[in-house]
Amino acid sequence: MAVPDLDALLARGVRGQRVLVRADLNVPLADGAVADDTRVRASIPTLRRLLDAGARVVVASHLGRPKGQRAPALSLRPVAPRLAHLLGTGVSFCEECVGPAAAAAVEDLGPGQVLLLENLRFHPGETANDPDFARALAALCDVYVNDAFGTAHRAHASTAGVVPFVARAAAGDLLRTELAHLESVRHPERPLLVILGGAKVSDKLTVLEALAPHADVLAVGGAMAYTFLRARGEPVGDSLVEEERLEDARRVERAADEAGRRLLLPTDHVVARRPEAGAPSKVVARIPDGWCGVDIGPETARRYAEEAQRARTVFWNGPMGIFEIKDFARGTETVAEGVARSEGTTVVGGGDSLAAINGLGVGDRITHLSTGGGASLEFVQGLTLPGVAALEQARA
Ligand code: 3PG
Ligand code: MG
């Protein structure tokens, strides 16, 4: 079903209207300031268009997981100056996101002005998708725009629950662009290469199960790979292994096999005495006792990067090793270089994968950098995103 977009909304006009934009401004903070403004920048085009159209723009987001309590360290206040700088206009801030204080702040807003509301998750009603909280949000606006792709996989009050209570609603440009690019992974030009990393099979089990028979090649890295290797009966030393997932790993391998797809595992490894910076480390083909795997080896990294040259579509999510430790980041970096060199359509999501791409300065050689790690994984495995599904019922 079609989701109303910003074009349709603006065609009907928003001048003087109170437009609530649900953005994903869940950004890392350091020393009371925004440490990485990727998500703030990604929210600008939609806000810009609404402001140019004379809307009174109210921005709402979550930050972190404060569990329904006010947590000063997770205030969105530091995001306001960053937003103001990027928009080139003043942004006021309200310490509440619903109720009389928020209503008064919205009332003060003129056409072409922006208000940022406090962290939605300071209220338990947000993640509980409480209809009363959703109604309270709806009361602040005439029009609702969801541009929070990174949170579209959550059925929360501000992403899904609010929609039935507003007269007009639409997807923002970021949400629309993300979905369009991720569609090219769901319906790929083949061969499709999926590179999946991360620590745990359990975190990625549903995506592994969905993509093993869908991707022409599924290349596995990160600690997840050791569970797969152990399931094959290979030695893994002291590497992180989820014993209770061995059967799942075998099932994923069988699913790939039966569909005639290839599932690639590391054939060499960087191992260390301990998974810590400065610990003695070396490259091996078989992981010895007393050592643990901390990164894919150079040969494996080269193979995965070569697969990216052959693929027409590449989807990558998750680091190949303990990326935050410099000595164990080489595998992830080599894969990042390989994906950047690919001539195919390339889509990358997830914090560490993006950090590797940005650290190498090759972001402009990737077709699409997704602002949603979890959301993009759910979308490419064919799941319905609640934030998108809610908009299918809406009118612009
Ligand atoms: C994210 O960064 O994963 C999104 O902002 C969603 O946040 P969440 O995982 O805490 O729901
Ligand atoms: Mg998340």
Side-chain angles (χ1 to χ4, degrees), residues 257-279:
D257 250 22
E258 282 162 15
R261 312 297 195 194
R262 287 189 294 141
L263 188 145
L264 306 181
L265 293 178
T267 46
D268 66 339
H269 316 272
V270 178
V271 295
R273 281 294 188 188
R274 295 175 307 283
E276 291 164 10

Side-chain angles (χ1 to χ4, degrees), residues 77 96 116 124 155 203 213 228 285 290 295 316 342 348 350 352 362-363 382:
R77 187 184 280 281
E96 257 306 340
L116 175 64
D203 288 344
F228 276 92
D295 193 8
W316 174 32
S342 171
V348 180
D352 289 327
V362 294

Side-chain angles (χ1 to χ4, degrees), residues 22 24-27 39 61-65 121 127 149-154 156 371-375:
R22 185 14 166 138
D24 187 335
L25 304 178
N26 182 23
V27 294
R39 282 178 162 176
S61 176
H62 73 287
L63 178 68
R65 293 177 176 172
R121 291 188 185 173
T127 55
F149 174 73
T151 324
H153 59 318
R154 308 288 183 217
H156 292 171
T371 57

Side-chain angles (χ1 to χ4, degrees), residues 13-351:
V14 292
R15 184 160 302 279
Q17 303 262 293
R18 300 166 305 162
V19 180
L20 177 68
V21 180
R22 185 14 166 138
D24 187 335
L25 304 178
N26 182 23
V27 294
L29 297 175
D31 304 322
V34 175
D36 177 342
D37 69 356
T38 306
R39 282 178 162 176
V40 189
R41 278 187 282 111
S43 73
I44 298 300
T46 290
L47 299 178
R48 192 61 296 137
R49 289 185 72 190
L50 289 167
L51 291 171
D52 289 348
R56 297 154 67 199
V57 175
V58 182
V59 184
S61 176
H62 73 287
L63 178 68
R65 293 177 176 172
K67 301 204 165 71
Q69 308 257 324
R70 199 166 262 282
L74 295 176
S75 171
L76 273 166
R77 187 184 280 281
V79 178
R82 193 70 216 147
L83 201 52
H85 173 80
L86 292 166
L87 283 171
T89 179
V91 171
S92 47
F93 181 75
C94 178
E95 285 177 20
E96 257 306 340
C97 60
V98 287
V106 174
E107 219 33 65
D108 282 348
L109 212 55
Q113 293 183 344
V114 189
L115 169 71
L116 175 64
L117 301 174
E118 183 56 288
N119 194 341
L120 293 158
R121 291 188 185 173
F122 285 179
H123 289 262
E126 165 62 357
T127 55
N129 197 5
D130 174 0
D132 289 336
F133 185 71
R135 245 187 237 105
L137 287 171
L140 297 177
C141 68
D142 307 300
V143 178
Y144 165 80
V145 171
N146 189 354
D147 212 20
F149 174 73
T151 324
H153 59 318
R154 308 288 183 217
H156 292 171
S158 69
T159 57
V162 67
V163 177
F165 300 119
V166 294
R168 301 173 61 195
D173 284 350
L174 175 63
L175 181 55
R176 188 177 62 171
T177 306
E178 289 268 13
L179 294 175
H181 283 294
L182 290 161
E183 268 299 332
S184 65
V185 180
R186 273 197 353 190
H187 305 285
E189 195 181 326
R190 293 186 181 274
L192 166 66
L193 166 69
V194 172
I195 307 170
L196 280 183
K200 289 185 177 166
V201 169
S202 45
D203 288 344
K204 298 255 162 87
L205 189 58
T206 57
V207 69
L208 286 163
E209 281 180 325
L211 295 183
H214 174 63
D216 297 278
V217 183
L218 176 57
V220 178
M224 227 168 38
Y226 310 120
T227 297
F228 276 92
L229 288 168
R230 167 78 128 254
R232 279 185 184 177
E234 291 192 28
V236 294
D238 295 344
S239 305
L240 189 67
V241 165
E242 291 171 281
E243 296 289 346
E244 66 292 354
R245 293 295 175 193
L246 296 178
E247 195 38 55
D248 291 322
R250 288 186 199 108
R251 205 178 50 249
V252 168
E253 281 229 54
R254 270 200 307 275
D257 250 22
E258 282 162 15
R261 312 297 195 194
R262 287 189 294 141
L263 188 145
L264 306 181
L265 293 178
T267 46
D268 66 339
H269 316 272
V270 178
V271 295
R273 281 294 188 188
R274 295 175 307 283
E276 291 164 10
S281 64
K282 60 183 179 181
V283 173
V284 297
R286 286 166 72 84
I287 304 177
D289 286 342
W291 295 77
C292 59
V294 289
D295 193 8
I296 58 173
E299 175 60 30
T300 303
R302 197 182 52 72
R303 265 196 310 131
Y304 288 6
E306 274 171 17
E307 290 291 347
Q309 311 315 300
R310 275 195 284 277
R312 295 300 309 150
T313 308
V314 181
F315 176 70
W316 174 32
N317 179 297
M320 297 290 104
I322 308 176
F323 174 75
E324 52 284 14
I325 298 175
K326 190 83 202 97
D327 288 342
F328 311 147
R330 194 63 212 134
T332 305
E333 287 167 1
T334 301
V335 165
E337 282 159 5
V339 175
R341 270 201 314 276
S342 171
E343 305 269 299
T345 299
T346 51
V347 180
V348 180

